[in-house]
Amino acid sequence: MASELSKVEAFAELDEAGLAALEGAAEIKVVRGGDYLVRYGEEADALYLVSTGRFYVQLPNGLVVAEIGAGEPVGELAFFSGGTRTADVRASRDSSVLALTREDYDRIVAQHPKIADGILAAVSGRLARATAFSRAMDAKPATVITMIPAAGTEFPRDFVERIRREIAKDCDTRMLTVDDRPEGLPADGESFGRWLGEMERSGQRLLLVAGPDERWNKQIARNGDDLVIVAPLYGEECGRSELEDYAIPLFLRANRTLVLWRERREQPINGSLRWLESRNVKLHHHVPLDCDEAFARVGRFLCGRANGVVLAGGGALGCAHIGVMQGMIENGIPIDFYGGTSAGAAMGGAIARGLTPEDTLQQMYDMFIKAKAMKRLTFPVHSILDPRVFDEQLTLRYGEQDIADLPYNFFGVSTNLTTNSVYVHRRGPLWHAVRASGSLPTILPPFITDDGDVLVDGGVLDNVPVKIMRASKAGPNVVVNLRDDAGEEWRLRDTKYSSLRGRWRLFRDIIFRRKPQQEFPSLVDIMSRSMVVTSASTVRQSLDDADVLLVPPIPKTMKILDWHLGTEVSEDARRYVAARIQEQEKLQEMRAA
């Protein structure tokens, strides 16, 4: 075992005597994937050092705060302080650890102080990394991916190989089936984990593929970082198989993906929820077998290169989003995930459901110019505007299509007044998400969910939801903000408070369509600006997290209900993006391989 101990980072500098002393004192403990090494609240009576495999640290509230790999200590803080365990530590693969009791640790450290030095160096390194990334952990790609079929089905012909080829565009990727298992490999989890570990250390990404061998299937389930479940969208039976029942609990929700395949691209997408309900995955993807681009998109997600767009709210100003997305697509930058607030949710949702940028722009024109969806006033009890035309247009344009049945991944953001929190729409009718996300307080009535939650415009709390996108996937994101100098536009140097019109003068001016002598903010302007102020600090922090920030040119005089300027603003944004792609290396790197 001494040669194995020398591979542990904490003991790399130990001499042979120190390694031999550690070998005599330490006990090898094998932990199968999915099992717990330590539990919250237990007495910290032993120190563990990971020899092979990987563990994750989970707080009592379910939040995963760290991963621990080979060569790192486990439970050292509680061990040294003499306290109890402060979190659960669970194996994410078949793993092995060196276990040292307190008595044995004190004895060998007295003889070989370098052992303590090595452990403390490993602890310091972990704390330094934790300090550098003290915010919530972003999504990151797996190095070992386990792929299994759903509901006892089989993989379509060449399906896994096509996925492997797409992942291999990012790094060397090897597909392993039961036929690749070395002859004579012991059945114990430690030997299997060491075999995978050697290949992983060579820099390869591994794709472990289920087959007819039950023992192999359970081994790869216990040793993957991510689980990919492959299901036929139109399959008759969608219940979980025995293999799924075994594998799914071994993975955190954040590490589960469902891929729903269908034969042809022109086939409509429906029924996704019946597959999703019992599998509780973080992401799912739709893949027609006759579409190479869909395989490429899944490959980008699995290797951490999926492109996202985050679209800010801003009413009619959001027509610029259409030009931004059109500019990206025309210049070879595929969009894999759409997310946005208010107008950003509306524009992103339209493209995510398969509309072209031109169709989306026409849709906005038909809704807001022809149908005058935001022009009908009502008695100001629940809102200033009557939402019925708007709701009818949303239903007509978006239908009852569920977000789960969109061909591309999408989320919209609204503000939950019931819970005082951000509400992320990932399921349910798309038009509900667009309606809730754009419910300007007092201008439109709030949207009420089936659970009774009261939702208003997402811009109240998060007008640029970058963090939600970063938590949803690994890979670069283009963040589109609609103005970066709104404050100066609100400096009304020639307006006096005394110019505020009384009710009778307002009535006469409205009847005779007179414009005021001095500019004074309208109710819509005040409300939209108030939301920007409320979420200003969140917006600034979000923009700091942007991989690429775009602020397309928008006329300073344009208001949030000026939909008649949509075509002009969209075209200006398209040209702006084309120019930026030529200038920015980050944007060029997002182009499809």
Side-chain angles (χ1 to χ4, degrees):
M1 183 175 64
S3 59
E4 293 295 331
L5 290 176
S6 64
K7 297 179 182 179
V8 177
E9 181 182 358
F11 307 135
E13 302 300 321
L14 277 181
D15 56 22
E16 291 186 6
L19 290 172
L22 193 59
E23 177 184 4
E27 175 188 355
I28 287 286
K29 183 175 181 178
V30 176
V31 187
R32 293 178 58 162
D35 289 348
Y36 289 91
L37 175 61
V38 300
R39 300 302 300 265
Y40 171 80
E42 290 180 341
E43 182 183 356
D45 56 357
L47 172 67
Y48 301 105
L49 297 125
V50 180
S51 178
T52 62
R54 183 170 297 170
F55 295 81
Y56 60 83
V57 181
Q58 190 169 28
L59 299 180
N61 63 5
L63 182 66
V64 175
V65 295
E67 288 186 340
I68 302 175
E72 295 187 89
V74 177
E76 68 284 351
L77 296 180
F79 177 79
F80 291 131
S81 66
T84 58
R85 305 296 187 188
T86 58
D88 292 331
V89 179
R90 191 180 185 188
S92 57
R93 306 182 188 173
D94 286 347
S95 306
S96 63
V97 297
L98 307 176
L100 282 171
T101 65
R102 189 175 305 280
E103 180 181 352
D104 288 335
Y105 175 81
D106 291 340
R107 176 172 52 80
I108 64 170
V109 165
Q111 300 170 357
H112 303 278
K114 283 190 175 182
I115 293 176
D117 294 341
I119 294 174
L120 291 175
V123 174
S124 298
R126 186 189 301 166
L127 288 176
R129 291 191 295 273
T131 300
F133 301 98
S134 56
R135 64 186 180 188
M137 292 177 62
D138 292 330
K140 64 178 184 178
T143 54
V144 180
I145 301 168
T146 297
M147 186 171 289
I148 66 174
T153 61
E154 296 182 355
F155 299 117
R157 181 182 177 183
D158 295 331
F159 186 92
V160 179
E161 172 58 22
R162 292 175 74 179
I163 294 291
R164 186 205 65 78
R165 288 201 298 265
E166 296 300 334
I167 300 174
K169 293 177 180 178
D170 179 66
C171 73
D172 185 20
T173 302
R174 181 174 179 183
M175 181 173 68
L176 297 174
T177 68
V178 65
D179 295 334
D180 296 300
R181 183 172 56 192
E183 290 187 16
L185 183 72
D188 63 277
E190 182 186 3
S191 298
F192 190 87
R194 290 185 186 279
W195 173 58
L196 291 182
E198 288 298 324
M199 286 182 284
E200 187 181 0
R201 280 192 287 272
S202 70
Q204 290 181 317
R205 182 174 276 121
L206 305 179
L207 185 59
L208 311 180
V209 184
D213 188 297
E214 182 179 356
R215 182 165 70 92
W216 166 263
N217 292 343
K218 288 186 175 181
Q219 284 178 322
I220 66 172
R222 294 195 307 269
N223 285 279
D225 299 323
D226 280 1
L227 176 67
V228 177
I229 306 168
V230 179
L233 177 63
Y234 297 116
E236 294 183 3
E237 177 57 50
C238 63
R240 280 174 29 171
S241 65
E242 290 185 9
L243 175 57
E244 288 180 279
D245 285 339
Y246 180 83
I248 288 174
L250 299 176
F251 293 82
L252 295 169
R253 178 180 180 276
N255 302 118
R256 302 179 201 146
T257 296
L258 176 67
V259 177
L260 294 166
W261 62 269
R262 62 192 192 280
E263 291 288 347
R264 297 179 306 281
R265 187 171 191 169
E266 62 267 20
Q267 289 177 289
I269 302 173
N270 54 64
S272 304
L273 288 175
R274 68 191 185 102
W275 290 99
L276 292 167
E277 285 172 352
S278 64
R279 290 169 177 86
N280 193 24
V281 297
K282 180 180 181 180
L283 291 176
H284 70 282
H285 310 292
H286 290 284
V287 175
L289 299 183
D290 62 350
C291 179
D292 291 337
E293 193 279 329
F295 281 90
R297 184 169 68 250
V298 173
R300 288 192 292 271
F301 272 99
L302 293 180
C303 64
R305 293 190 296 106
N307 297 329
V309 290
V310 181
L311 309 173
L317 280 63
C319 291
H321 292 319
I322 301 173
V324 169
M325 293 183 284
Q326 183 176 14
M328 291 175 62
I329 295 168
E330 288 179 350
N331 287 276
I333 300 178
I335 302 174
D336 303 310
F337 205 137
Y338 299 82
T341 297
S342 195
M347 308 304 176
I351 304 295
R353 67 187 296 258
L355 294 184
T356 65
E358 294 84 358
D359 289 341
T360 303
L361 195 62
Q362 184 64 48
Q363 176 174 278
M364 298 303 148
Y365 179 84
D366 291 342
M367 288 177 62
F368 296 109
I369 303 299
K370 285 188 175 181
K372 300 181 179 179
M374 299 285 280
K375 292 290 187 180
R376 180 179 293 182
L377 298 174
T378 187
F379 293 105
V381 176
H382 307 296
S383 62
I384 294 172
L385 296 181
D386 184 340
R388 285 179 295 177
V389 176
F390 186 34
D391 292 351
E392 289 169 0
Q393 286 293 313
L394 287 176
T395 305
L396 174 66
R397 309 296 172 184
Y398 293 93
E400 293 294 331
Q401 185 177 25
D402 197 282
I403 294 172
D405 290 328
L406 300 180
Y408 296 88
N409 273 277
F410 165 83
F411 71 82
V413 171
S414 58
T415 299
N416 192 328
L417 297 183
T418 305
T419 60
N420 299 324
S421 62
V422 170
Y423 188 102
V424 182
H425 299 264
R426 292 284 286 132
R427 301 284 185 271
L430 176 61
W431 86 265
H432 287 188
V434 174
R435 173 65 177 80
S437 186
S439 297
L440 283 164
T442 74
I443 308 302
L444 288 169
F447 187 83
I448 312 298
T449 70
D450 292 339
D451 295 328
D453 287 352
V454 180
L455 307 181
V456 297
D457 197 295
V460 173
L461 287 181
D462 196 353
N463 200 47
V464 189
V466 182
K467 291 185 181 299
I468 296 171
M469 181 66 82
R470 291 177 71 91
S472 299
K473 68 162 189 65
N477 300 305
V478 170
V479 180
V480 187
N481 199 25
L482 294 177
R483 271 184 182 149
D484 61 356
D485 192 23
E488 279 303 309
E489 296 167 20
W490 275 75
R491 196 176 303 281
L492 305 180
R493 300 183 186 278
D494 299 325
T495 300
K496 304 300 180 184
Y497 178 71
S498 58
S499 67
L500 184 63
R501 293 173 288 174
R503 57 180 178 171
W504 292 115
R505 185 178 172 188
L506 274 171
F507 179 74
R508 290 195 304 269
D509 287 351
I510 291 173
I511 292 296
F512 294 107
R513 298 184 179 180
R514 296 171 179 166
K515 293 185 177 181
Q517 293 180 345
Q518 293 188 19
E519 181 183 6
F520 207 95
S522 70
L523 184 59
V524 174
D525 293 335
I526 294 168
M527 179 50 61
S528 61
R529 176 60 180 163
S530 297
M531 290 196 309
V532 172
V533 171
T534 302
S535 61
S537 61
T538 302
V539 169
R540 283 194 294 270
Q541 190 175 14
S542 297
L543 297 181
D544 288 341
D545 292 337
D547 295 292
V548 176
L549 174 62
L550 299 179
V551 186
I554 296 173
K556 291 187 178 297
T557 56
M558 185 177 182
K559 306 293 185 182
I560 67 170
L561 295 182
D562 286 347
W563 295 98
H564 62 284
L565 298 177
T567 300
E568 174 188 341
V569 167
S570 176
E571 179 58 23
D572 288 346
R574 185 188 69 81
R575 290 195 294 264
Y576 163 80
V577 169
R580 293 298 297 274
I581 291 173
Q582 298 303 315
E583 300 167 357
Q584 285 204 14
E585 185 176 345
K586 283 187 176 181
L587 283 170
Q588 296 167 15
E589 291 172 353
M590 295 174 69
R591 284 174 164 155

